[in-house]
């Protein structure tokens, strides 16, 4: 009892008056505590966080691989072997640049598959492309600096550069990808250029060689750094991809970004940056101050998965699967949505655009689709500035062919309903 009284006095709930006894305080300390209002930021969260990811995939989930085809048993076996043999060193600490054997495996992989010219010393292992964009923005940009952005383009990059105070310059994407001449007309003093040359996000074309050389030329003239986001080139169904922009550059102009988060599974959170040598030190130092390093054990498991040949095998299987799903989508769309939408002849990726034949309010299509249990994203979400076409992003990798056909039928129903309501 004495201890309880002492404690309540110490916390201010009781006060002792000499000769009179112990009383409940006149002012209860709860009233003195400043009230911290927690503002709900629902609108911000709704805009920046994928709303669908927690549910099983439905037509037409974007940015998600076929997770039910991931070789979980194999991953578990490698993980268990690594855990049983984990040395003190693997548990104690990590290299902020990344687990050395994994960096070597990444350097070898990007050299053979993407024509990237690098040493393991230029590779930094990160939580993904998004972290690379954030760190690069902090290192390279000052508030007010201009950044050339593909329009339409990747909203994750828009946000990373906006948060660093940059001025985003929308550069038009025509039938041949990003147009550097348009960039130069809009702002000839950009500090950074963000681009997805292997497979433009979201429209899907590859940047041809003459444009690549023109882009590198513009970058050198402006002394700008180019960020080459190679987010999904592992999934190429036809032909060989053009080698990376990074491999065309003999100097310090290009940063190459890649990720395992879609090639394997999104919650893995491991990706990488291949940096020009002169950026490595400051980049790794900043990374250390932000979040130290990527979990070592996960890096070690991934490293074994790559070096034992499972990664290449998995990609080969997924390519065949996604190609047949893409085929199912284009065939179903031809049957049910001919004259309403057109799907470009894409050769890579986990998703495609579907362009509307008539200009249509994409937000209305999104709303009507969601009532029918579809996940659709309008192209307007990827625009910094209005573009001449309207359409949707349709993911096809995460769902099977039956769900793809159900989705196309439902989408046809959406357009029929909207057409009926359209004023004549
Ligand atoms: C074009 C593009 N770049 C980068 C990313 C992000 O990659 P990560 O998950 O590795 O951060 C995405 C993810 O959807 C993307 O679509």
């Amino acid at each position: 009892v004495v201890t309880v009284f002492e404690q309540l006095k110490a916390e201010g709930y009781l006060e002792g008056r000499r000769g009179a006894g112990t009383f409940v305080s006149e002012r209860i300390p709860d009233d003195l505590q400043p009230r911290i209002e927690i503002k709900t930021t629902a609108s911000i969260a709704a805009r920046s966080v994928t709303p669908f990811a927690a549910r099983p995939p439905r037509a037409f989930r974007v940015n998600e691989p076929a997770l039910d085809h991931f070789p979980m048993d194999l991953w578990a076996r490698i993980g268990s072997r690594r855990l049983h043999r984990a040395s003190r060193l693997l548990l104690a600490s990590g290299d902020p640049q990344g687990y050395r054997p994994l960096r070597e495996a990444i350097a070898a992989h990007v050299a053979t598959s993407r024509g990237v010219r690098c040493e393991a010393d230029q590779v930094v292992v990160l939580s993904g492309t998004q972290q690379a964009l954030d760190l690069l923005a902090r290192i390279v940009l000052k508030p007010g600096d201009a950044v050339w952005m593909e329009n339409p383009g990747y909203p994750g990059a828009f946000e990373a550069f906006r948060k660093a105070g940059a001025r985003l310059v929308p550069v038009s994407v025509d039938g041949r990808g990003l147009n550097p001449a348009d960039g130069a007309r809009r702002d000839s003093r950009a500090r950074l250029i963000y681009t997805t040359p292997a497979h433009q996000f979201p429209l899907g074309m590859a940047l041809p060689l003459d444009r690549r050389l023109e882009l590198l030329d513009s970058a050198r003239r402006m002394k700008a750094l180019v960020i080459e986001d190679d987010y999904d080139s592992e999934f190429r169904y036809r032909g060989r991809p053009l080698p990376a922009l990074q491999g065309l550059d003999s100097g310090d102009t290009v940063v190459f970004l890649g990720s395992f988060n879609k090639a394997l599974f999104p919650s893995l959170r491991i990706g990488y940056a291949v940096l020009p040598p002169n950026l490595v030190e400051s980049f790794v130092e900043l990374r250390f101050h932000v979040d130290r390093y990527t979990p070592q054990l996960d890096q070690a498991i991934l490293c074994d998965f790559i070096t034992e040949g499972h990664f290449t095998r998995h990609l080969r299987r997924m390519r065949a699967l996604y190609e047949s799903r893409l085929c199912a989508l284009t065939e179903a769309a031809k049957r049910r949505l001919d004259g309403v939408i057109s799907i470009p002849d894409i050769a890579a990726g986990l998703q495609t655009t579907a362009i509307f034949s008539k200009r249509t309010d994409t937000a209305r299509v999104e709303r009507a689709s969601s009532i029918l249990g579809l996940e659709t994203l309008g192209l307007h979400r990827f625009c910094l500035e209005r573009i001449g076409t309207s359409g949707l992003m349709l993911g096809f990798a995460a769902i099977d062919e039956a769900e793809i056909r159900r989705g196309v039928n439902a989408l046809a129903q959406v357009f029929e309903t909207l057409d009926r309501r359209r004023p004549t």
Side-chain angles (χ1 to χ4, degrees):
V1 169
V2 171
T3 314
V4 168
F5 267 67
E6 300 275 290
Q7 177 77 27
L8 289 170
K9 268 192 206 165
E11 289 176 4
Y13 290 97
L14 299 180
E15 48 192 34
R17 287 187 212 133
R18 200 183 289 268
T22 300
F23 300 87
V24 173
S25 302
E26 292 277 329
R27 295 186 68 194
I28 300 289
D30 291 7
D31 295 338
L32 300 176
Q33 284 197 346
R35 284 196 197 286
I36 300 167
E37 289 229 350
I38 299 175
K39 288 205 183 102
T40 48
T41 50
S43 61
I44 295 172
R47 195 156 25 94
S48 57
V49 177
T50 315
F52 306 128
R55 296 199 298 252
R58 297 186 292 187
F60 293 96
R61 169 91 41 104
V62 298
N63 276 339
E64 197 171 291
L67 297 177
D68 47 342
H69 286 257
F70 183 72
M72 209 55 200
D73 288 346
L74 178 59
W75 190 265
R77 264 203 311 282
I78 297 173
S80 150
R81 194 180 63 204
R82 272 289 183 175
L83 276 167
H84 279 113
R85 292 192 204 146
S87 65
R88 205 195 69 81
L89 254 183
L90 198 68
L91 300 180
S93 65
D95 180 345
Q97 188 166 352
Y99 181 56
R100 174 92 206 179
L102 177 60
R103 283 194 278 123
E104 282 165 4
I106 291 172
H109 167 66
V110 293
T112 50
S113 67
R114 303 295 298 115
V116 171
R117 290 196 280 189
C118 72
E119 307 283 334
D121 286 340
Q122 289 167 259
V123 177
V124 185
V125 180
L126 299 158
S127 72
T129 308
Q130 198 60 35
Q131 185 175 30
L133 295 174
D134 174 51
L135 296 178
L136 286 166
R138 296 200 221 184
I139 286 180
V140 175
L141 297 173
K142 290 192 302 298
D145 278 352
V147 180
W148 282 11
M149 299 297 308
E150 294 170 337
N151 183 53
Y154 177 51
F158 300 166
E159 288 308 316
F161 302 141
R162 268 196 195 119
K163 286 193 167 60
R167 197 160 42 79
L168 306 190
V169 179
V171 180
S172 65
V173 174
D174 59 22
R176 306 175 71 235
L178 172 95
N179 182 357
D182 183 56
R185 260 194 307 277
R186 288 167 183 257
D187 197 312
S188 59
R189 301 217 317 230
R191 183 73 197 86
L192 203 66
I193 301 173
Y194 168 85
T195 180
T196 49
H199 187 222
Q200 204 276 333
F201 185 95
L203 298 180
M205 69 287 282
L207 196 67
L209 186 63
D210 59 329
R211 282 268 170 102
R212 288 173 186 240
L213 296 173
E214 200 184 334
L215 185 65
L216 285 174
D217 234 34
S218 309
R220 284 189 206 113
R221 220 173 320 114
M222 299 189 291
K223 296 196 171 50
L225 188 71
V226 177
I227 298 182
E228 176 175 21
D229 183 352
D230 197 67
Y231 64 104
D232 71 354
S233 64
E234 288 91 353
F235 300 113
R236 180 148 203 105
Y237 311 122
R238 267 176 282 128
R240 276 180 68 77
L242 278 174
L245 201 57
Q246 193 269 7
L248 287 176
D249 175 39
S250 49
D252 289 340
T253 311
V254 183
V255 176
F256 179 88
L257 304 182
S259 175
F260 295 102
N261 298 326
K262 275 187 287 283
L264 294 175
F265 54 96
S267 73
L268 177 64
R269 300 309 304 155
I270 301 183
Y272 54 90
V274 179
L275 298 163
N278 63 350
L279 265 185
V280 174
E281 199 180 324
S282 53
F283 188 91
V284 173
E285 195 208 341
L286 176 62
R287 194 281 157 87
F288 180 74
H289 292 302
V290 170
D291 73 336
R292 302 295 192 254
Y293 45 82
T294 303
Q296 283 272 96
L297 205 50
D298 294 343
Q299 292 189 70
I301 297 170
L302 173 59
C303 181
D304 291 351
F305 194 78
I306 299 172
T307 53
E308 291 168 16
H310 307 303
F311 182 56
T312 318
R313 245 189 316 275
H314 178 62
L315 290 182
R316 211 180 304 128
R317 282 180 41 238
M318 291 306 100
R319 254 181 239 128
L321 180 72
Y322 299 161
E323 188 180 10
S324 63
R325 291 182 172 182
L326 172 61
C327 221
L329 173 62
T330 45
E331 275 169 17
K334 249 185 238 142
R335 250 193 336 271
R336 293 288 281 118
L337 287 160
D338 197 28
V340 180
I341 61 164
S342 63
I343 293 185
D345 183 25
I346 63 158
L350 308 182
Q351 56 242 353
T352 178
T353 46
I355 303 295
F356 301 159
S357 310
K358 278 190 268 190
R359 191 156 196 116
T360 312
D361 178 353
T362 355
R364 280 185 72 201
V365 178
E366 279 184 3
R367 280 196 299 276
S369 307
S370 102
I371 294 167
L372 294 182
L374 299 181
E375 295 177 9
T376 56
L377 292 175
L379 273 189
H380 64 282
R381 290 175 180 270
F382 307 95
C383 294
L384 285 168
E385 189 177 76
R386 225 174 127 93
I387 54 169
T389 46
S390 54
L392 295 174
M393 278 285 260
L394 302 180
F396 53 81
I399 47 173
D400 64 19
E401 295 184 17
E403 176 63 5
I404 289 173
R405 282 189 289 273
R406 179 195 77 83
V408 170
N409 286 334
L411 205 52
Q413 228 177 304
V414 166
F415 280 97
E416 280 155 22
T417 317
L418 291 182
D419 240 13
R420 252 179 270 129
R421 291 202 201 132
R422 199 188 283 268
T424 45

